[in-house]
Amino acid sequence: MKALIYITLAVLLSLHATAQDTVVVTGQIKEAATGTALSGINISVPGFSAAITNEKGEFRIKAPGYRGALTVSGPGYQTKIITLNGRHMVTARLHEETFNSIYDHKQATDPITTLNTNDNWQQITSSPENYLQGKVPGLQVTRRSGTPGMGADLFMRGYTSLYATNRPLVIVDGMIYDTNEYGGSLINGYVNNPLADIDIRDIDNITVMRDGISTYGTKGANGVILITTSHAKEVATRIDFGVMGGFNTTPPKMPVMEAGDYRLYLSDLLQSSGKTPAEIAALPYMNDNPNADYYRYHNNTDWQKEVTNQSFNQQYFLKVAGGDDIATYGLSLGYLKQSGTIRRTDLGRYQTRFNADLNLSARLKAAINLAFTSNTQKDKDQGVSPKTNPLYLSLIKAPFLARQVVNDEGIASPSLADYDLFGVSNPAAIISKMQDVNKNYRFFGSIRFNYLVSKNISINTITGVTFDKVRENFFIPESGVKPDTLFNAVAYNRSGSNVKRFYNLYNDTRITYDKQFNRDHHLIANLGVRYSSNNSESDYGLGYNSATDEFVSVGMGQNLLRKVSGTIGKWNWLNTYFNVDYSFRDKYFLSFNLAVDGSSRYTYTRNQYAVMPGLSAAWLLIADKDNIDALKVRAGVSRTGNDDIGNYTSRQYYISQNLLGLQGLVRANIANPYLKWETVTKFNAGLDGAFYNERLSFSLDVFQHRTTDMLTIEPVAAATGFDHVITNNSAMETHGVELSLFGRIVDRILKWDVRLNVSTYKNKITKIPGNQLLTTYGDATILTAVGHAANLFYGYKTNGIYTTNEEANKAGMGAKGGDVRFVDTNGDHKMDENDRQIIGDPNPDFTGAITNHLGWKHWTLDAVFTFSHGNDIYNYTRANLESMSNYNNQTLAVRNRWRQDGQVTDMPRAAWGDPNGNARFSDRWIEKGDYIRLQQLSLCYELTLKHGAMKYVRIAATANNLFTLTNYLGFDPEFSNGNSVFTRGIDDGLFPQFRTVQLGIRMGL
Amino acid sequence: MKRLLYTGLLCCSILCGCKKLFDIQPQEVLDHSQAYGNVNDADAAVIGIYGKVMGLAGRYMILNELRADLVDVTTSTTDKYLQELNIHDVSTDNTYADPRPFYEVIMNCNDALKNFDAMLQDKRISNDDYILRYSAVCAIRTWLYLQLGIHYGEIPYITDPLETIDAVKDVSKFPRVTFDELLTKLVTFTEGLPYKYPFPSGTSLLLTSDGYSTEKFFINIKCLLGELYLWKGDYTQAATNYRVMMNYADVLYPAMNSEQWYEVYRVGYTANLSGALWSNIFSQAYGERYSNYEIIWNLPFDKNFAPANPFIELCDNITGGYQVRPSELAIANWNKQFRSDNTPVDQRGPNSSYKYSGTQPVIKKYTYNYNPLLPFETNSKWILFRAAALHLHYAEAANRDNRDKIAYALMNTGIKNTYDPVYMATGVTGGEGRNVTDIEQTKDVPPYDFDARDGNYPQFRNVWYRNIGVRGRMGLKPVKVDSTGVFDMSDPLLTDKPVTNRPELMNRMEDLLVDEEGLELAFEGYRWPDLLRVALRRQSTDPAWLANKIAAKFVAANDSRAEAVRSRLMNKANWYLPFKW
């Protein structure tokens, strides 16, 4: 606050100061690494004078005074804004162009990270957000699963909402890029990820704005990611061509029992169900004497091997850029084929992008961006899908069964075995016969005009459309798969078809005023309007019982059983925004933002508009003095909103209700005409510093987010006849710290850069109706209570195993020896819901990454380590694999189960049906999710060719997920099953990440 | 700063002036501004309400039967909430303590009523169409409130549709009333309805859909009024309203000479519903002729439409969950009946109301034709009111209105026989050859005026001559009150003995009626209300009546909790479920 007063005073004083006389500044520019003098470097005082360095790197320039700043730039080198601080002579050492310099955001008042993606071509990624992993402090990028193209869930500074979206807003080339899913996927566990339609190779740079985004109104609550795709940088024609090929290794196996151990386990289990040893011995899979069924039940199949495999990737891309003084263009084409490590899963993609810049007149410029991407994804069900998730089935399937049908003589037939006597589907049948196909395409195109009205005023308008279409089909065959039961039939085979469409028309028009007053004051102001009209539709059909497994479409199913449904959504958003950036002598910076939003989601019923102001300031405490290049403090306060409250939630409406085949209407809701956006008030303070010619730099931010008017599903009295009404009646807070440290450890011919990003956040619910809310996902219960983080695991605590029956009886909880001793929290000698406690927190203490970049002559080596610490994971899969209550195969750990009185072990007894609830949601299944992973390692060699048709050849070897250090017992501690806070940290059986090694070559013509 | 704000607001107001930009009607649901445009929309509201009512079937059966004496939980049920209901020890988190499903339908009724009024005002509906639909919705709402009163005692009586969150927060819209106050309100309200009869033909709600005529889908308002008065204790009015429906064949068959006219709603002696064929009421397909003699209000469950038939899950022991079963007491009650030929067992019991599936007794009434080998053939009828209930409840009212003989007649062997001195003296009818001008009729004032004369010289085939009585229809021996202390038995020749203790006679006759209601209507959702009504009536004289009735179920099953249940029910507060807000 004090800083603000000083700044204001300084501004007022300076208005009365008179202009000084012209002075002369001399100096020399050198290259940072080698110290060689640089010639041809531009030196300028914007709007005043300009000069160029001679062959000795020296320059001489007129300046308005010794308190201003010089802008230094040159091809291949970074741009610096050097504050004179009264000096008459300046020596500057420039780093290479790609150097991530503090000068790039010297004027910024808000936490902003810009990434130049010049290393993008060697990436092994099917979705650009994976690239962001660990590179932006405060942005937690969690890859969803090992399915190629599914991308990652992005959480900016924790989360701001319980029920509305937590996704950051993505803007591509000035236009909102909608990343939401409208209507879910029919493929269990699959997420359609529109971001994957942007090829990382087409991206020039990515700017992540964590704050200072009030102008995005009710879309900015979760931060903004600005993506700029590549445009031609020069008029000369350039052709780049790249080919990459890679190899994916089979994911590590989960240690489950083999036939011998499994049979022993079954015998224990069946005894607990009350069967006599004689009855058990008579079971076909227990009978070791020669009998007709012997070969059917005496195998030792490694089911995991049947569903996973190693696989291959390939990618091709071609870029052509060029043009003339009037028009430049960039065209890119790409093809990608990435296979998963679950058999018969892959992603195929064709993508094309055309960007053009037109100088229509001296004052009028235009830019065109057109992109079209088409994807075909072959997938399998994952997550909680016990009948059709092949990976899960491969874990629980009895190992003594065979993959194929076996006759009495033990000869295997080519046909696959049907679901077994335990009711478990054949995972091999799922792999070979089940279809899960997602085909989608997106067109994203815009045209922009920029008209310079006068020296200081310009008008900028962009109009664009998004057209997105998704088609999904699935078919679950009858053979090999356990049938499902509908309310009016048994479903032997099942089919589904889904079409989702999204259309968006977008316009952003603004007038910009840019003026430098009196040399000291620089003002840029924008006033604009954004308009977005959206239309989404999703229609799906489900069919059952087609005549044979060859008829796989919905139309082939029985007429009577067919189901059709869908959703339609329309909404409009109008955002009027104003922003002004002011700087004084390149030392004091002030930024004010304001948006006023109207939306069909909340404006109509009560004529309410969202007003979102934001103010931030920065003070360059020290600039270019001694060994301090810059030291800057920043602070800001802003308000943003979240309009993801449903399209029609504020209205009262009716839905249909059948009476036999007659259709009637019933009330669907209690309307809440007051319903409005969620408001997120953000406070941010930061400190940036760079020392020793930027060899060492850091950026530190502390923030607090206060969400108010948070969307709540508020319970209402039973006598209303409704369960809930949607209100804006809860609130939460998130605060945190982000640190980014950079060091150029070696700066000679060999360059070694190390960057460490660490971020942390703490979340707390401050208001919620009823003070707490319990939700469930999988078998987990999640507590959302005032004073705690929004999503804590809420279950039973355990305290070992009752070693004897006597001990169990003494406890008086109805347990037996070998049962888990649950903690009786309230001491009522009864295990019930009231004994639940907080048993885990899926929110990490800190996450981040260490990135290394080594450059030596033509070689570069990059290594990215990502890490997470302090987050808990509920291992749902393991809970099923160690429940010891049914026929499912179990992990090797259950060999250590309790078997007799006095046995001391941490694994309870096998008990049919789990009468004591040993497998209930408890801390037995909560594990530490800490990990550190070598996420990427890439080695690149560049061959510069002086002659011939080729300009350069680059060769790269890249590896992803080379190793992961973790104690987590599941497949992978990194997974994300949704953008909702309520599903965080619940490992429900998604396909794991896998290791990929890729070799690539890129050529320039 | 302020100026900037104003600039922003100004810009916005100019650009956003077009309010239409923000008014987007939903297309996947129906916005309230689009609903209730004409009579078809009014019909859609009624259909929606009845669609919701069907969702209450399982809950209706459980609350009304399991809490009473004829249904017990099975040993295999793991549903602790059902177990709690059974022993009348209901925790507040019991899902059955949640009245929300009833209120969900009520709220739709309130919404329809408010909008019907608005439609009438704007002339979107004609007055004729309005009164039918308005009354129909009022009646079903009243029935729902009666159910709520029976189970929860004191409840909020809400008539506002609670359209927005403001209404939900307005406490004045949730007035709490006691059960007695509720009954007063319901009686007044229902009496004030503009139309109280079944829909006249030509009403657009009367149609055939998926093979089902909707004629008997809708609650019968006259029967409802009878029930309300019976609960309220206004017995003459109760009898009057019931009587309208007992005579409704006059309206249905105006020629007044067919078999239908004689038998519909009059509990006649048609072979198709008597004796062993009594079960036709439940087994015959929906809309079949003879079961129509009996059924007044029912809704069909069809295998092709939601909601799924809930009774299979509750009752069946092979494909269902076998949650509830006939109580030992219910089985014993049927077994101890004697037919007029002195053979034991009431045929309404084994293989009609219940059956043994394997060794387990299974309630059969709702799933009469259900075959576990065809698990998806789940069609069945949910009968909500039928003629036997009408007669027994009428008899209950008549008895309280000092007409013990009419009650006796309708329960036992019918009007004709009871008002035939020969039959009463010998047990054998005097035949049609006599002059019956002066007998076989009640000679009472309406609604107690029954004429059952059946003679050839002079010819009489009067309207009630086929009435055979509820027990008579089953060929069962009549049940009689213990005459000791209630009749002056001194004159052996007198057929109508003078009554010496009218209140005691009433109670004894009522006990017989209650027992008969159990035999005839078991498992159909009448039992707990029947017991509660009598218990409330006798509360001052016999506070243990209900407790004893329910405890008998546990005694008959050798269940050690009998005393605990009895003592809980000695406290009237435990007669009602906790109301979960």
Side-chain angles (χ1 to χ4, degrees), chain B residues 401-463:
Chain B
D401 210 10
N402 301 321
R403 268 77 175 186
D404 61 282
K405 189 166 179 181
I406 292 179
Y408 177 90
L410 294 175
M411 171 167 58
N412 282 316
T413 50
I415 300 286
K416 183 178 91 173
N417 288 333
T418 308
Y419 287 87
D420 176 355
V422 177
Y423 180 90
M424 291 307 277
T426 62
V428 182
T429 177
E432 292 158 13
R434 296 173 294 164
N435 181 349
V436 295
T437 310
D438 269 341
I439 57 169
E440 298 182 341
Q441 56 189 311
T442 56
K443 294 181 183 163
D444 205 336
V445 292
Y448 304 112
D449 52 335
F450 291 94
D451 185 349
R453 284 177 289 180
D454 176 21
N456 293 339
Y457 311 103
Q459 172 104 11
F460 287 106
R461 291 289 187 274
N462 280 9
V463 53

Side-chain angles (χ1 to χ4, degrees), chain A residues 138-142 155-159 703 734-737 758-763 789-793 840-848 866-873 927-931 973-975 981 984-986:
Chain A
L139 180 67
Q140 199 186 344
V141 179
T142 312
F155 289 88
M156 189 90 83
R157 295 185 154 178
Y159 35 79
F703 71 90
T734 307
H735 62 91
V737 182
V758 188
S759 6
T760 130
Y761 66 87
K762 282 270 172 290
N763 173 270
N791 50 354
L792 298 176
F793 295 134
D841 181 353
N843 300 299
D845 292 343
F846 58 85
T847 55
T866 55
F867 56 82
S868 173
H869 179 83
N871 56 310
D872 291 319
I873 296 178
E927 296 180 33
K928 290 261 169 273
D930 304 354
Y931 74 88
E974 184 191 350
F975 59 86
V981 300
R984 299 278 281 157
I986 298 174

Side-chain angles (χ1 to χ4, degrees), chain B residues 77-94:
Chain B
T77 184
T78 51
D79 188 335
K80 70 171 184 180
Y81 297 137
L82 291 179
Q83 287 161 349
E84 285 181 5
L85 280 180
N86 187 39
I87 57 167
H88 292 268
D89 188 9
V90 177
S91 56
T92 44
D93 70 333
N94 192 311

Side-chain angles (χ1 to χ4, degrees), chain A residues 29-37 93:
Chain A
I29 307 295
K30 289 178 181 170
E31 189 180 35
T34 55
T36 40
R93 296 163 76 94

Side-chain angles (χ1 to χ4, degrees), chain B residues 77-263:
Chain B
T77 184
T78 51
D79 188 335
K80 70 171 184 180
Y81 297 137
L82 291 179
Q83 287 161 349
E84 285 181 5
L85 280 180
N86 187 39
I87 57 167
H88 292 268
D89 188 9
V90 177
S91 56
T92 44
D93 70 333
N94 192 311
T95 49
Y96 292 95
D98 184 1
R100 202 179 306 261
F102 288 102
Y103 276 104
E104 188 188 354
V105 194
I106 287 172
M107 220 41 62
N108 278 299
C109 295
N110 291 342
D111 195 71
L113 294 177
K114 183 189 167 181
N115 284 291
F116 288 171
D117 284 342
M119 286 171 87
L120 184 67
Q121 207 157 28
D122 307 349
K123 303 207 164 33
R124 278 174 278 158
I125 191 170
S126 72
N127 192 57
D128 288 351
D129 287 339
Y130 165 81
I131 57 169
L132 296 179
R133 286 152 189 86
Y134 183 85
S135 303
V137 172
C138 285
I140 190 73
R141 187 183 78 183
T142 302
W143 178 79
L144 290 162
Y145 269 123
L146 177 62
Q147 284 292 318
L148 283 170
I150 288 167
H151 295 295
Y152 301 95
E154 187 177 311
I155 54 155
Y157 183 68
I158 305 162
T159 51
D160 186 272
L162 307 180
E163 284 165 315
T164 72
I165 192 164
D166 291 325
V168 173
K169 286 180 181 154
D170 183 353
V171 188
S172 71
K173 295 197 190 301
F174 296 79
R176 288 183 80 154
V177 295
T178 63
F179 188 22
D180 198 51
E181 289 163 355
L182 176 73
L183 287 170
T184 312
K185 277 183 192 291
L186 295 180
V187 165
T188 319
F189 179 71
T190 312
E191 271 299 356
L193 293 183
Y195 189 86
K196 294 176 206 147
Y197 298 91
F199 289 137
S201 61
T203 309
S204 54
L205 279 164
L206 294 183
L207 51 100
T208 300
S209 168
D210 311 291
Y212 300 100
S213 159
T214 61
E215 198 184 336
K216 293 191 175 179
F217 276 21
F218 307 104
I219 187 169
N220 187 295
I221 302 178
K222 280 287 164 187
C223 291
L224 174 67
L225 265 173
E227 300 279 286
L228 290 172
Y229 280 118
L230 190 60
W231 277 97
K232 190 67 196 157
D234 188 343
Y235 302 110
T236 318
Q237 277 302 318
T240 308
N241 281 289
Y242 284 133
R243 189 63 200 279
V244 172
M245 284 319 293
M246 291 165 86
N247 283 343
Y248 201 66
D250 297 359
V251 179
L252 294 171
Y253 309 100
M256 299 197 185
N257 55 8
S258 59
E259 184 193 78
Q260 281 106 318
W261 178 63
Y262 283 117
E263 302 223 347

Side-chain angles (χ1 to χ4, degrees), chain A residues 488-490 529 560 567-568 572 578 598 604 651-654 658 661 664-665 667 671 674 716 718-719 722-723, chain B residues 4 15 21-23 28 30-32 44 100 103 108 111 158 161-166 210 303-304 306 376 580:
Chain A
N488 53 354
V490 174
V529 181
L560 197 62
T567 57
I568 301 175
N572 289 336
F578 173 73
Y604 179 69
R651 291 169 173 263
Q652 186 212 324
Y653 54 85
Y654 296 82
N658 76 300
L665 286 171
R667 281 273 297 278
Y674 305 96
V716 288
F722 288 92
D723 291 329
Chain B
L4 289 178
L15 290 158
L21 188 67
F22 300 127
D23 181 17
E28 56 184 11
L30 191 72
D31 193 66
H32 70 104
R100 202 179 306 261
Y103 276 104
N108 278 299
D111 195 71
I158 305 162
L162 307 180
E163 284 165 315
T164 72
I165 192 164
D166 291 325
D210 311 291
K303 61 176 176 173
N304 292 325
F376 298 110
K580 186 178 175 184

Side-chain angles (χ1 to χ4, degrees), chain A residues 485-490 527 529 531 560 566-574 576 578 580 592 594 596 598-600 603-604 607 609 611 613 648 651-655 657-667 669-674 716-727 833, chain B residues 1 4-5 8-9 11-12 15-16 19 21-32 35-36 44-45 47-52 54 98-100 103-104 107-108 111 115 156 158 161-166 168 174 207 209-210 212 214 217 299-300 302-306 308 376 579-581:
Chain A
T485 309
L486 310 174
F487 90 94
N488 53 354
V490 174
L527 178 65
V529 181
Y531 169 71
L560 197 62
T567 57
I568 301 175
K570 280 188 177 180
W571 66 101
N572 289 336
W573 175 66
L574 188 80
T576 316
F578 173 73
V580 54
F592 173 74
L594 175 75
V596 181
S599 163
S600 59
T603 301
Y604 179 69
N607 207 25
Y609 293 91
V611 180
Y648 313 116
R651 291 169 173 263
Q652 186 212 324
Y653 54 85
Y654 296 82
I655 51 173
Q657 162 70 50
N658 76 300
L659 173 65
L660 301 162
L662 299 168
Q663 290 300 325
L665 286 171
V666 290
R667 281 273 297 278
N669 65 343
I670 296 172
N672 180 1
Y674 305 96
V716 288
T720 61
F722 288 92
D723 291 329
H724 59 257
V725 54
I726 313 275
T727 62
E833 289 173 348
Chain B
M1 177 74 195
L4 289 178
L5 196 75
L9 285 169
C11 289
C12 180
L15 290 158
C16 313
K19 205 177 175 188
L21 188 67
F22 300 127
D23 181 17
I24 297 181
Q25 297 276 347
Q27 291 178 335
E28 56 184 11
V29 291
L30 191 72
D31 193 66
H32 70 104
Y36 294 107
I47 286 164
I49 288 164
Y50 273 87
K52 286 275 177 202
M54 286 197 68
D98 184 1
R100 202 179 306 261
Y103 276 104
E104 188 188 354
M107 220 41 62
N108 278 299
D111 195 71
N115 284 291
I158 305 162
L162 307 180
E163 284 165 315
T164 72
I165 192 164
D166 291 325
V168 173
F174 296 79
L207 51 100
S209 168
D210 311 291
Y212 300 100
T214 61
F217 276 21
L299 287 159
D302 187 282
K303 61 176 176 173
N304 292 325
F305 298 104
F376 298 110
F579 189 93
K580 186 178 175 184
W581 280 85

Side-chain angles (χ1 to χ4, degrees), chain B residues 338-343 413 423 427 471-472 474-478:
Chain B
F338 279 91
R339 291 176 234 170
S340 37
D341 59 3
N342 268 328
T343 53
T413 50
Y423 180 90
R471 288 181 72 81
M474 295 313 299
L476 289 169
K477 281 190 165 177

